[in-house]
Amino acid sequence: MATELPKAYDSKAAQEKWLTFWEGKGYFHSEPDPEKKKYPNGPYTIVIPPPNVTGALHMGHALNNTLQDVLIRWKRMQGFNALWMPGTDHAGIATQSVVERLVLAQEKKTRHDLGRDELVKRIWDWKDKYEARILGQLREIGASCDWKRTRFTLDPVCARAVRETFFRMFRDGYIYRGKRLVNWDTHLQTSVADDETYTEDTKSGFWTFKYPVDGMPDTFISFSTTRPETMLGDTAVCVHPTDERYKALVGKLVLQPHTGRKIPIIADGQLADPELGTGCVKVTPAHDPNDYACWQRHPEIGIINILNPDGTINEAGGEYKGLDRYKAREAVTEKMKELGLYVDKSERIVPMPFSDRSKTPIEPFLSDQWFVKMSDREDGKPGLAQMSMDAVTSGKVKFFPERYARSYLDWLGEKRDWCISRQLWWGHRIPVWSRPVQDQDGYKASRARFMLEPEIRTAHEQGRLEFEYQGERASTQPESRTAPGRATAVVSTTSNFIHVCIAGDDAALVSKLSSLGFTQSDDVLDTWFSSALWPHSTLGWPGPALPEERADRTAPDWERDRYYYPTSTLVTSRDIITLWVARMVLTGLYNVGDIPFHHVYITPKVLDGFGEGMSKTKGNGVDPLDIIDLYGTDAMRYGMVKLATETQDAKLPVSNICPHCGKEVAVKQEHMYMRTKKLTCPECKKEFRPGGPWQTDDPDRPTAKQGSDRFEEGRNFANKMWNATRFLLMNLEGYAAGPVNIAELPTEDRWLLSRLATTTKAVTAALDGYKFSDVARLLYDFVWSEFCDWYIEMSKGRLKDAAARPTAQRVLAGVLDGILRLVHPLMPFVSESLWQALNETAPERGLPSPAKAEESAAIAAWPSYPDAWISADVEARFARMQELVRGVREIRNRYQVDDKTKLDVAVKCSAAVAAEFNALAAFIGPLAGIATLTAGPDTAKPKQAGGLVKPDFEAYVSLAGLIDAAAEMKRLEKQITDKRKALDGTRSKLANEKFVNSAPAEVVQQQRDLLADIEKQIATLEENLKDLQSA
RNA sequence: GGGCGUUUAACUCAGCGGUUAGAGUGCCUCCCUUACAAGGAGGAAGUCGGGGGUUCGAGUCCCUCAACGCCCACCA
C-alpha cells in the first residue's frame, strides 16, 4: 500500500527539498551540444535581465522571473538544451548613491572624504552582500537558472567584452568625443543624474529686456527671461516662423550689448511660442536644454559657455569674468538699465531643479562626454540605429505583444547619439588615455611625435591601439559645421586633446602612455553599455575562456558557447525597451553580426491596489517573500502567471496581516506611501507597522506581512492537486500498468481523454504565443472542474467494481501523470512532490501505453496526445449529461429535498431539467458514476444512492402540492418570459434575408438549432406550468 | 504636448464580429459524504464608461467625449 500523503500540501517543506534535489542532479546546468547528440532540438536560451544589486527582489522581479522559469522549464521538458543564464547588474548610479548615502549616514563622510578606491571597495562589499541575497531570492522562487554560469556586469568576462566593444567602436569611428548639457552641481562640482535632482517651485524674477536691431535705428526686439546673466552667452534671438510681428526681422542681426557681439534673429517653430510673452526668446545654447536643442537645429549660430565649474563667469563673459552667476545677474541687469534696454520685471513661480545632495540649484552645463554615433554612415550604409531598426522591421526580432515594436522603432528612429560617459566611480572605467596637445603646431606634429615611440607604433600597427583628435575623425558634432564668418568661437576648456584607446588590458602600453603624460579618463561607462552586451558577453564573447575564471564555474568560452547565440527569448519590462533592448540588438549586430534574441516578450506591470505603479519612493511595494511565506511559492508563481495577460497591467490589492492575531486589515492608500507608520488592529487592538519595503525593523512594533487574496486561487489549486493525488494513491491497490484501448473505454473515460488532449494542445499553443494567463486558466479548469469535480467523482463507483477498477486506475494514473507534466513549469514544487509520490506506487504509467516515468518532473517529457482522442460528439453528450445533473442538484438544493419522491416532483417542475432528462434517458445508462453525482449529502448511505437516475414522470403531478407551488409558478413564468425574448431575437434574425445570405452557413444552422431548442424548452415550461396550476 | 494602454458582477480580471456575456474572490443557502472545509452542491449579482456610427448582427470594429494609468518630451 502506498505511503499516505498528509492531508494538506505543505509548501514550505517541499520548497527546500526539491531545490536541493534538482540542483544535486544538475538538471539546470547546460553544456553545448553542437552535434545534437543529446538534444536534437538544439538550444533554448534565455538570459536573465540582470537585477540591480541595490536591494531586494520586488514583485516585478517575481513576475518577470516566474515567466522566464515557466518558459525554460517547459522547453527543457520539450527536449531542448535549455540554458537560463543568471546574473546581476552593477547599476552605476543607483548602487553608488545607495552606498554613498549609507556612508554619509553611518560615518558622516562624503565620497570625496573616502576617495575613489575606498568608495569602490565599499561598493564591492555591498555588492557581494546584496548579490548573494538577490540570487538567493531568485532561487527561492524556483528559478531553474544554470547557477554555475552566474555573471556580474563588472566581472572580468564582462569587462573584457566591454573593453573590446569600446575599442572596436572607437577604431571604427562610432565613438567620439562631444559636448552635452549635464545637470551641474556647482557646489560639489560634479554632474548629477536626472534622478538625483528634484524640482521645486521657486519664486523668481521674470525680466523683460530688448536688444537693438543692427542697422535699423529705433528698432528693438524684446524678450523675457528668468536668468539675465545668460545673456552673456546668447548667440541668437528666436521667433516663430509664422509670427507676423517679426517676419520682416528674421535674418537681421541684433546687438548683444554686454559683449558687443552681433547675433542673428532666427525663426524656429519648436523653440518660440508666439502666444507666450513677447513671442520672442533669447537663445543660450550652452546653458539651457531647449536652446541647446535649437542650436543643434541651427548650428551656424554657435554656442558659448560662460560658466566655470564653480558657477562663476568665465572669460567669455568679458568684463563680468570672475563674478558669481547671481552677482553677474544683477550686474548684467544693471547694465541693461543703463543702456535703456530694460523693459520691466515681474515675479513668477518657476520650477527649479536642485541637486539632491547639495540642495543647491542645478546649472545646465556644457561638458565633454563620450558618445556612440547612431546616425547613418557617411558611406551611405546603415548606421547602428538603422541596423537595429532593420532587425525588427524585417521580422528577425519579434515583439510580444507586437505593439511594443513601435516604441522601439520610434525611439531608434530619432537616431540620437548615445552618451556613454558618466561622472561616477562605480562602473567600467572608460579605456581612454588623454593628453593635451602640447605643441604649438598642433595635432599633426603631436601625432607624428607620438608615433615615433616604437611601442606605440607597433601597437597601432597590430591594431591594439587607436587614437583620435577632436575634429580630425569623423564627427557629427555641429561645431565642425559651424559656418565660417559668422561664428563665435567654440569655447571649451577640454577640446585640444589626443585621446588614445587601447584594446584589452595591456599594462606595458598603459605605463608607456603614462610616461608620455597620458592619463586615463576618470569617467565610467553608462551602465547600459555593459548590459547591452549581456547576451553575448555572458557567453564569453570575444573568447577564449579567461584563465582567471574560477575553477568551480564553467568558464564561458565564446568558441564553444556561441552555440547558445542568438538566444531565444528575452523577457523584460516595457520601460527598458529603449535603454536596454534596443542596445542589445545594436551591440549584438555590431559585435557578433547577429541578433541577440529572436523574441522579446514584454511583461505586464504590477500595480498597487489603487492602480499606481509600485516604487521604492512611493513605498507601495509588495514583498514577494511575504507572499511566498503566506501562500507558498507555487501559489505565488501561479498568481504571477495568471495576471500575465496580453494587454492588461494588473492591480494587486493587498491587506496587512496583523502580526499579533493574524487578522486581515484592509490597506488604504494612505497606509502606503510611508505616511502611516503605525496601525491598530481592529481585532486585537494591538499596534503594528503596515507591511511594505521598510529598510529596517521598528523596535517598538512588529511589521505586518502583506497578503493578497489573488494568491489564494493558486494555493488552493496546489492543494487540490495534492488531494487528487492523495485520492488516487489511496485507491491504487492492485494497480497493474497496462495499455488501454480507447475504443473500448466507457464514455466518461473517452470524455476525459478528449479533454486532456484538447487541453494539452491548447496549453502548448498558449505557451508558444506567450499567453501565460491562458495557460493557468486552461490548467485550472481542466484539473479542477473536469478531472476532480466530474471524473474523480464518477470514478468512485468504478473503483469499487472489480471489473471496472483496473481500467479506472490506469486512466486516473495516466491522466494525473499528464497533469503533473503540464503543471510543472508553473508550479514546480507541488508537481515534483506528487510526481515523486506517484513514482513510488505507479512508476509505470501513461496513456495509451504505460512506460517508466522519469525520475523527476523537471526532466519529464512534455506531453502530447493523439488528435484522434478529441471527440466533439463525446464531449457534447457529456456536456448534456452535466447539464442534467446540475439541474437535478439545483432542485435538490432549492427545495432542500432529501426524499426521493419529493425530489422527483421538483425535478418534473423544473422544465429545463425535465427536457434534458427525457433527451438523455438513453444515454445515462453507460455512465457508471452518475449516481454519485446526483446524490445528496448522504450518498454514503446506500439506500439513497442512485435514487434519481430513472425518475417516474407519471407520478409527479399528483404530488406537486409537496412543493411551494406559488414560488415555482412564479419562477416558471419568469423563465418563460426570458425564453420568449430569446426566441423573438432568434426568429427575427432568421427572418432577415441578409443574415441568412451573408452569415456563414454554420452560424445560420446554429441559429436554427437554437430556435428549435428554445421552442422545445418553452413548450416544456408551459406544460409544466399548466400541470402545476391544475395540481 | 506626443505615444501607448485601461474602463465588463461588490473586488481582481477573462472574453476582441455570430447561441441566453464568463472565472476566481466576496456574498446567500445547504452539507464536516473516507481525496480535499485551502472542500462539496446550489443560488443571487452585469442597460459590458457616456454618445454617435459601420454591419443582417457590436463588450467585440470606427469616430467622439470622459475618467484613470504608464512611457517619452517639456514647462523662456
Side-chain angles (χ1 to χ4, degrees):
Chain A
M1 188 61 203
T3 37
E4 196 169 316
L5 294 173
K7 234 178 157 180
Y9 172 48
D10 176 358
S11 58
K12 288 196 178 78
Q15 281 154 212
E16 192 49 46
K17 182 174 175 188
W18 299 122
L19 282 174
T20 311
F21 173 78
W22 293 326
E23 284 160 15
K25 291 282 185 180
Y27 296 146
F28 306 154
H29 179 63
S30 169
E31 288 290 334
D33 175 35
E35 312 284 315
K36 301 198 167 188
K37 282 179 184 150
K38 200 171 165 198
Y39 299 100
N41 286 341
Y44 181 86
T45 314
I46 295 180
V47 290
I48 202 168
N52 293 351
V53 286
T54 43
L57 232 51
H58 54 64
M59 229 48 213
H61 291 124
L63 172 68
N64 174 271
N65 289 300
T66 296
L67 299 183
Q68 288 175 74
D69 195 48
V70 168
L71 291 174
I72 209 87
R73 283 182 187 268
W74 166 54
K75 286 292 177 179
R76 189 179 292 125
M77 292 173 78
Q78 276 194 333
F80 286 85
N81 189 355
L83 168 63
W84 186 8
M85 175 77 71
T88 50
D89 191 280
H90 69 279
I93 292 165
T95 316
Q96 181 171 323
S97 49
V98 165
V99 175
E100 275 190 64
R101 265 196 288 274
L102 185 77
V103 169
L104 190 64
Q106 292 181 347
E107 306 172 36
K108 304 273 178 274
K109 282 184 180 164
T110 70
R111 69 177 148 136
H112 300 287
D113 298 333
L114 286 184
R116 184 167 190 146
D117 291 348
E118 181 60 22
L119 182 79
V120 168
K121 186 182 160 291
R122 302 286 182 96
I123 306 176
W124 273 103
D125 292 345
W126 167 281
K127 171 258 169 185
D128 288 341
K129 183 173 162 195
Y130 282 91
E131 179 187 50
R133 179 168 150 188
I134 287 210
L135 295 177
Q137 290 175 340
L138 265 179
R139 180 177 173 273
E140 267 190 72
I141 69 168
S144 60
C145 298
D146 188 348
W147 299 108
K148 284 183 183 167
R149 293 181 185 266
T150 304
R151 300 249 68 93
F152 176 56
T153 50
L154 279 184
D155 69 19
V157 167
C158 294
R160 178 178 60 177
V162 164
R163 293 289 297 273
E164 181 68 19
T165 306
F166 192 98
F167 182 76
R168 289 188 188 190
M169 287 183 163
F170 188 92
R171 182 194 62 202
D172 295 350
Y174 284 110
I175 285 182
Y176 69 89
R177 187 82 166 147
K179 300 208 174 289
R180 184 190 180 88
L181 278 187
V182 296
N183 301 312
W184 191 259
D185 182 326
T186 56
H187 181 73
L188 297 172
Q189 298 201 26
T190 178
S191 68
V192 291
D194 285 346
D195 51 3
E196 283 188 298
T197 66
Y198 61 97
T199 45
E200 217 163 67
D201 284 341
T202 312
K203 209 156 84 173
S204 161
F206 188 71
W207 289 266
T208 304
F209 301 107
K210 57 189 180 181
Y211 281 161
V213 179
D214 189 46
M216 296 176 74
D218 299 327
T219 310
F220 299 91
I221 191 159
S222 57
F223 54 87
S224 302
T225 180
T226 54
R227 295 161 69 210
E229 71 280 11
T230 63
M231 279 194 279
L232 298 171
D234 281 357
T235 60
V237 293
C238 175
V239 297
H240 197 273
T242 61
D243 196 329
E244 292 299 333
R245 291 172 293 180
Y246 301 113
K247 239 179 183 167
L249 294 176
V250 172
K252 301 261 192 263
L253 300 176
V254 296
L255 179 71
Q256 206 300 314
H258 305 86
T259 59
R261 286 184 285 107
K262 288 178 182 169
I263 60 176
I265 300 170
I266 59 166
D268 186 311
Q270 283 177 60
L271 187 65
D273 180 348
E275 308 291 318
L276 265 174
T278 64
C280 174
V281 285
K282 63 198 262 326
V283 187
T284 321
H287 298 283
D288 182 281
N290 296 306
D291 295 1
Y292 183 78
C294 174
W295 164 67
Q296 288 185 307
R297 293 187 294 268
H298 305 271
E300 69 283 358
I301 66 174
I303 178 165
I304 300 178
N305 176 21
I306 59 160
L307 280 185
N308 290 314
D310 63 359
T312 57
I313 303 295
N314 68 15
E315 62 280 358
E319 60 179 289
Y320 302 92
K321 181 183 171 189
L323 280 182
D324 176 79
R325 62 199 147 142
Y326 293 111
K327 292 274 185 253
R329 175 174 298 179
E330 288 168 23
V332 164
T333 307
E334 203 48 46
K335 174 86 170 190
M336 290 301 266
K337 279 185 181 163
E338 283 168 26
L339 295 172
L341 298 171
Y342 169 95
V343 179
D344 62 21
K345 178 194 173 186
S346 57
E347 294 285 312
R348 186 177 269 216
I349 304 291
V350 292
M352 240 202 346
F354 287 86
S355 164
D356 241 354
R357 280 182 283 166
S358 70
K359 313 293 175 199
T360 56
I362 291 287
E363 284 298 328
F365 188 75
L366 201 61
S367 66
D368 291 291
Q369 304 287 345
W370 291 99
F371 290 85
V372 175
K373 186 169 142 186
M374 303 292 279
S375 53
D376 291 337
R377 290 155 45 119
E378 273 144 30
D379 60 11
K381 288 186 184 146
L384 296 175
Q386 190 61 48
M387 273 162 57
S388 314
M389 291 167 76
D390 293 346
V392 167
T393 45
S394 70
K396 279 163 80 184
V397 174
K398 282 201 179 70
F399 277 87
F400 296 84
E402 227 176 322
R403 78 185 110 96
Y404 291 112
R406 186 168 173 171
S407 331
Y408 174 98
L409 291 172
D410 283 356
W411 185 81
L412 275 175
E414 293 179 22
K415 299 185 181 174
R416 285 217 297 232
D417 289 351
W418 173 15
C419 178
I420 51 170
S421 46
R422 293 293 128 97
Q423 290 67 52
L424 290 170
W425 291 348
W426 176 242
H428 292 280
R429 195 133 167 211
I430 291 187
V432 171
W433 283 257
S434 308
R435 184 184 78 186
V437 172
Q438 298 145 331
D439 313 84
Q440 289 301 316
D441 48 354
Y443 171 69
K444 283 208 169 125
S446 202
R447 181 177 74 173
R449 185 157 327 167
F450 183 53
M451 287 297 285
L452 286 177
E453 301 289 339
E455 298 97 318
I456 301 293
R457 195 177 60 237
T458 310
H460 187 246
E461 279 163 8
Q462 292 174 346
R464 292 185 288 120
L465 177 146
E466 199 55 69
F467 51 91
E468 79 145 32
Y469 173 72
Q470 192 86 17
E472 168 155 304
R473 297 282 299 269
S475 165
T476 55
Q477 276 300 288
E479 67 220 53
S480 65
R481 287 185 269 125
T482 304
R486 156 78 29 84
T488 5
V490 174
V491 178
S492 161
T493 52
T494 55
S495 289
N496 299 318
F497 282 82
I498 293 186
H499 298 294
V500 176
C501 181
I502 57 179
D505 273 323
D506 189 331
L509 214 43
V510 168
S511 105
K512 180 69 199 170
L513 284 170
S514 164
S515 74
L516 291 170
F518 283 83
T519 51
Q520 187 176 4
S521 168
D522 281 334
D523 292 357
V524 300
L525 285 164
D526 180 14
T527 300
W528 299 108
F529 193 88
S530 52
S531 27
L533 312 177
W534 191 245
H536 57 281
S537 67
T538 52
L539 293 172
W541 181 91
L546 284 177
E548 69 263 34
E549 276 289 295
R550 292 211 312 268
D552 61 343
R553 281 182 169 173
T554 308
D557 179 343
W558 182 245
E559 289 300 306
R560 205 184 45 138
D561 292 331
R562 176 76 170 77
Y563 168 81
Y564 296 107
Y565 192 96
T567 67
S568 309
T569 303
L570 178 78
V571 178
T572 191
S573 70
R574 72 175 88 108
D575 44 347
I576 51 175
I577 290 174
T578 55
L579 294 173
W580 192 44
V581 179
R583 277 140 182 193
M584 281 192 283
V585 176
L586 187 156
T587 65
L589 291 169
Y590 178 73
N591 283 342
V592 183
D594 203 351
I595 54 169
F597 28 69
H598 296 286
H599 290 175
V600 179
Y601 171 75
I602 301 295
T603 61
K605 199 179 172 76
V606 186
L607 308 172
D608 72 11
F610 308 98
E612 292 189 41
M614 293 181 179
S615 74
K616 216 178 241 179
T617 42
K618 280 187 199 166
N620 57 351
V622 178
D623 187 345
L625 297 183
D626 276 6
I627 302 298
I628 287 178
D629 191 55
L630 286 164
Y631 306 96
T633 307
D634 291 305
M636 192 276 288
R637 293 171 58 112
Y638 177 88
M640 291 288 110
V641 169
K642 190 73 192 279
L643 64 72
T645 59
E646 180 105 347
T647 53
Q648 291 269 152
D649 294 335
K651 279 186 265 190
L652 189 66
V654 292
S655 55
N656 285 303
I657 313 291
C658 171
H660 306 288
C661 68
K663 161 100 181 160
E664 271 194 53
V665 184
V667 168
K668 293 181 186 152
Q669 196 155 15
E670 63 264 26
H671 294 163
M672 295 181 156
Y673 304 83
M674 296 198 175
R675 278 183 222 129
T676 305
K677 297 205 165 149
K678 160 180 101 166
L679 284 178
T680 306
C681 175
E683 188 84 4
C684 66
K685 312 291 180 206
K686 288 184 190 156
E687 284 181 356
F688 62 87
R689 180 161 65 164
W694 304 99
Q695 295 297 327
T696 50
D697 287 332
D698 182 337
D700 296 329
R701 52 188 77 85
T703 303
K705 281 197 191 329
Q706 293 180 306
S708 170
D709 57 19
R710 298 209 59 180
F711 296 100
E712 285 176 9
E713 186 179 338
R715 178 196 57 185
N716 297 352
F717 185 39
N719 194 51
K720 190 70 176 176
M721 286 187 287
W722 180 269
N723 276 291
T725 307
R726 191 165 166 259
F727 166 81
L728 177 60
L729 293 178
M730 291 166 99
N731 285 283
L732 270 188
E733 192 158 356
Y735 171 77
V740 296
N741 181 352
I742 184 121
E744 291 167 5
L745 291 176
T747 310
E748 61 259 45
D749 289 4
R750 293 180 60 192
W751 166 79
L752 183 70
L753 298 189
S754 175
R755 295 302 311 143
L756 175 66
T758 305
T759 304
T760 303
K761 261 179 106 161
V763 166
T764 308
L767 283 167
D768 259 323
Y770 302 101
K771 305 204 166 170
F772 292 100
S773 184
D774 288 355
V775 174
R777 188 178 42 78
L778 285 161
L779 289 172
Y780 184 94
D781 287 348
F782 175 68
V783 172
W784 199 306
S785 310
E786 297 180 331
F787 184 60
C788 293
D789 286 351
W790 290 95
Y791 187 81
I792 287 189
E793 288 311 314
M794 292 177 80
S795 78
K796 285 178 179 170
R798 294 168 66 200
L799 287 167
K800 291 185 186 113
D801 173 348
R805 184 175 163 95
T807 306
Q809 284 177 328
R810 285 171 198 171
V811 173
L812 279 164
V815 173
L816 183 63
D817 172 271
I819 287 171
L820 295 177
R821 291 170 197 264
L822 291 168
V823 163
H824 183 264
L826 273 63
M827 308 173 87
F829 297 102
V830 68
S831 55
E832 185 70 86
S833 304
L834 300 174
W835 185 268
Q836 299 294 341
L838 199 55
N839 274 3
E840 277 185 34
T841 314
E844 286 192 34
R845 55 183 187 261
L847 295 165
S849 303
K852 175 116 175 58
E854 295 87 340
E855 65 175 9
S856 163
I859 53 157
W862 186 253
S864 144
Y865 299 101
D867 279 350
W869 285 10
I870 300 173
S871 163
D873 174 54
V874 169
E875 290 197 22
R877 287 162 61 204
F878 198 87
R880 299 186 75 188
M881 183 281 292
Q882 288 175 308
E883 267 179 59
L884 164 66
V885 170
R886 287 201 184 101
V888 173
R889 288 168 173 174
E890 183 189 337
I891 301 297
R892 179 182 286 285
N893 268 294
R894 191 139 38 82
Y895 294 109
Q896 316 277 313
V897 186
D898 56 4
D899 174 272
K900 176 189 179 304
T901 318
K902 283 188 196 168
L903 181 61
D904 287 351
V905 173
V907 167
K908 168 67 175 170
C909 294
S910 174
V913 174
E916 290 293 307
F917 227 115
N918 284 321
L920 284 159
F923 172 66
I924 294 164
L927 284 163
I930 189 125
T932 332
L933 297 176
T934 53
D938 39 7
T939 317
K941 299 169 196 164
K943 57 173 179 155
Q944 291 283 344
L948 296 169
V949 177
K950 298 263 169 70
D952 175 3
F953 289 103
E954 300 311 313
Y956 300 150
V957 177
S958 58
L959 296 169
L962 292 172
I963 61 168
D964 181 347
E968 188 62 20
M969 278 194 279
K970 215 167 147 194
R971 221 178 70 88
L972 286 172
E973 275 160 11
K974 183 175 180 298
Q975 278 189 5
I976 291 170
T977 319
D978 288 351
K979 294 284 175 197
R980 285 210 171 116
K981 251 184 245 165
L983 186 71
D984 288 349
T986 312
R987 264 194 191 138
S988 66
K989 224 179 233 184
L990 284 165
N992 187 328
E993 268 177 50
K994 282 185 185 162
F995 168 70
V996 178
N997 293 335
S998 56
E1002 71 230 44
V1003 174
V1004 178
Q1005 192 50 48
Q1006 228 172 40
Q1007 290 290 321
R1008 291 215 172 96
D1009 294 346
L1010 178 67
L1011 185 74
D1013 232 40
I1014 302 177
E1015 275 172 346
K1016 226 191 301 177
Q1017 286 174 21
I1018 292 181
T1020 322
L1021 283 167
E1022 282 174 336
E1023 195 185 315
N1024 279 305
L1025 185 61
K1026 222 185 291 166
D1027 285 353
L1028 206 54
Q1029 281 163 344
S1030 63

